[in-house]
Amino acid sequence: MRKSLIAVATAGLTLSLAACGGGSGTSTSTPTTGVASPEATTASSPATSAPAATGSLTVWVDETRIDAFKQLGSAFQASTGVSLDVVQKPSQDIKTDFIAQAPTGEGPDLIVGAHDWVGDLQANGVIAPVELGDAVSGFNEIAIRGFTFDGQLYGVPYATENIGLVRNNGMVQDTPATFDELIAQGKAVEGAQFPVVIQQGAEGDAYHLYPVQTSFGASVFKVDADGAYTTELGMAGPEGEAFAAYLKKMADEKVVSASLGADQAKQAFLDKKTPYIVTGVWNIKDFQDAGIDVSVVPVPSAGGQPSAPFVGVQGVYLSSKSENALLANQFLEYLATPEAQDKLYEFAGRTPALTASADKVKDPILNGFAEAGKYGQPMPAIAAMGAVWKYWGAAELSIIEGKAEPAVAWQAMVKNINDAIAAA
């Protein structure tokens, strides 16, 4: 028997919640696509079913997407009869507040957030696993990997984003295949002070350098046969040291510097002091408002392999403390449909995580970022990542500023990170 499209993987939780009747949400009939058990049969098109239940769900979202989820909630209620109480929480507080309040029964049924929260949320026992069944194959594989932790899926993804190379088409009209050629092209542009800029600042910025680093085969962590991150550093050894040497070259060519933070790099592009910037979709509107015709392309390879930026995935988590798990899973089923993913793209403008919906996107900017993230990697959500950030950016900055030989600085960074992981 085919499994339900999405089911609470913890059978005990499912049965318990079914018995208590869904808490404040009142189920008035058996949901046609409900989650009675992991073995329950589901309809093939849950979102098109007639309203089957009434009740309400509470979902926490941050200020950047409250309008989108309010509109999605209206569509969900029209489809199912279940209302969505969308509560805005400050983006910097939403995860910590959820961890604190969920165990007390004061938290929401659902929370909207980034995939790299999954490690903390799972460790605190405040999220429940979900199961997409056959529908998992319809999602961007990176999006599914992002919300997978210890072999279980802990959320339904709805959007992806990553950085890419943004080009001022008024200064250059094509982009070469390698980073060396990119530097040479940028240096030849009349009026350009920088061939290309990658933001760094006083703390360094490993995130924005990662596409270049991965082109040397130096991913932050190695992965196992299932594609899950291990705690073994992939950037140790000759691949990482080759990137470190190239980083010094980029500093010498004025691509990176401590004085080029996020604001300075963005302003340099706005002032047409450079034809290129490595950045994300969040800066595009400002560039276009300034009258700059831009395109987005993959970051050219410096080390011979494809550049692979970190991919951020946005999705919805199910609270393990929800008293409305049946209705919450009904919403998650809806979120996994093309109808819902199309609507969230329409409302929020992010590339859908569902491939069928992403394929409908015609925006050349978003498609450019999608192409730039073709070989991307989800940001690691494992606890060991906490030991990486502290040393990674500092080591890169010491190389950029010429305070340490690249290989020496890189080897010291690797040792410090491994020591920190071992001590954790």
Side-chain angles (χ1 to χ4, degrees):
M1 181 178 291
R2 183 182 175 188
K3 290 184 177 180
S4 174
L5 180 62
I6 297 176
V8 176
T10 306
L13 172 63
T14 302
L15 295 172
S16 173
L17 291 168
C20 72
S24 59
T26 303
S27 177
T28 57
S29 62
T30 302
T32 57
T33 60
V35 188
S37 79
E39 299 303 322
T41 302
T42 186
S44 58
S45 302
T48 58
S49 301
T54 60
S56 65
L57 293 166
T58 300
V59 56
W60 284 2
V61 303
D62 66 25
E63 62 277 7
T64 67
R65 40 199 157 191
I66 185 166
D67 291 340
F69 271 84
K70 281 184 174 179
Q71 294 179 80
L72 186 70
S74 296
F76 175 63
Q77 184 171 14
S79 175
T80 65
V82 178
S83 64
L84 202 64
D85 182 15
V86 183
V87 178
Q88 179 175 327
K89 302 286 287 186
S91 56
Q92 68 273 20
D93 298 335
I94 188 167
K95 185 179 76 168
T96 52
D97 284 0
F98 178 62
I99 291 173
Q101 296 186 28
T104 71
E106 299 298 321
D109 302 294
L110 302 156
I111 181 174
V112 182
H115 80 272
D116 55 343
W117 296 358
V118 65
D120 285 345
L121 297 179
Q122 193 272 348
N124 283 280
V126 293
I127 52 174
V130 299
E131 186 176 316
L132 287 173
D134 294 342
V136 73
S137 62
F139 281 82
N140 180 322
E141 181 265 341
I142 297 173
I144 294 299
R145 283 176 56 199
F147 273 90
T148 300
F149 191 81
D150 280 348
Q152 290 188 299
L153 187 66
Y154 278 97
V156 176
Y158 75 87
T160 63
E161 62 184 11
N162 54 268
I163 57 176
L165 182 69
V166 179
R167 181 180 69 208
N168 181 331
N169 294 323
M171 299 179 75
V172 288
Q173 289 74 50
D174 56 72
T175 299
T178 71
F179 211 93
D180 280 344
E181 294 169 334
L182 184 79
I183 292 174
Q185 182 199 44
K187 290 171 67 175
V189 174
E190 185 177 356
Q193 295 183 19
F194 313 98
V196 48
V197 291
I198 304 177
Q199 70 178 62
Q200 291 301 292
E203 304 296 328
D205 190 328
Y207 174 84
H208 281 83
L209 283 171
Y210 199 58
V212 181
Q213 177 176 324
T214 50
S215 77
F216 286 86
S219 60
V220 58
F221 289 113
K222 293 185 177 181
V223 298
D224 63 20
D226 295 325
Y229 283 114
T230 70
T231 58
E232 182 179 0
L233 290 177
M235 57 185 177
E239 293 86 359
E241 291 169 24
F243 164 69
Y246 196 81
L247 179 57
K248 180 61 169 62
K249 175 180 178 178
M250 287 198 294
D252 293 342
E253 297 285 6
K254 300 182 179 179
V255 176
V256 291
S257 74
S259 61
L260 271 176
D263 292 342
Q264 293 78 18
K266 177 181 177 181
Q267 195 60 50
F269 188 81
L270 285 167
D271 293 341
K272 302 179 183 178
K273 294 179 179 177
T274 177
Y276 293 107
I277 182 172
V278 174
T279 190
V281 69
W282 47 86
N283 277 329
I284 294 298
K285 184 177 185 302
D286 288 343
F287 297 156
Q288 293 175 330
D289 286 349
I292 300 175
D293 176 26
V294 296
S295 293
V296 181
V297 297
V299 176
S301 174
Q305 299 186 32
S307 62
F310 281 130
V311 175
V313 189
Q314 302 296 321
V316 179
Y317 294 99
L318 168 64
S319 171
S320 63
K321 311 301 181 185
S322 172
E323 296 182 351
N324 302 304
L326 292 177
L327 300 183
N329 275 281
Q330 195 171 359
F331 176 77
L332 293 177
E333 289 182 358
Y334 175 70
L335 186 62
T337 64
E339 176 189 349
Q341 300 260 331
D342 290 352
K343 287 184 181 299
L344 276 176
Y345 167 67
E346 176 187 349
F347 301 150
R350 299 190 186 207
T351 301
L354 193 68
T355 303
S357 295
D359 288 345
K360 299 175 189 174
V361 174
K362 303 302 182 186
D363 185 320
I365 297 298
L366 287 183
N367 286 338
F369 278 113
E371 183 65 21
K374 181 178 180 180
Y375 300 100
Q377 305 169 356
M379 180 83 77
I382 58 177
M385 193 64 189
V388 172
W389 293 118
K390 177 179 178 181
Y391 298 104
W392 199 4
E396 291 179 342
L397 193 61
S398 71
I399 295 169
I400 290 169
E401 294 189 304
K403 295 180 177 178
E405 289 296 319
V408 173
W410 203 258
Q411 291 164 3
M413 176 199 73
V414 168
K415 182 180 184 306
N416 288 332
I417 293 173
N418 280 330
D419 288 348
I421 292 174

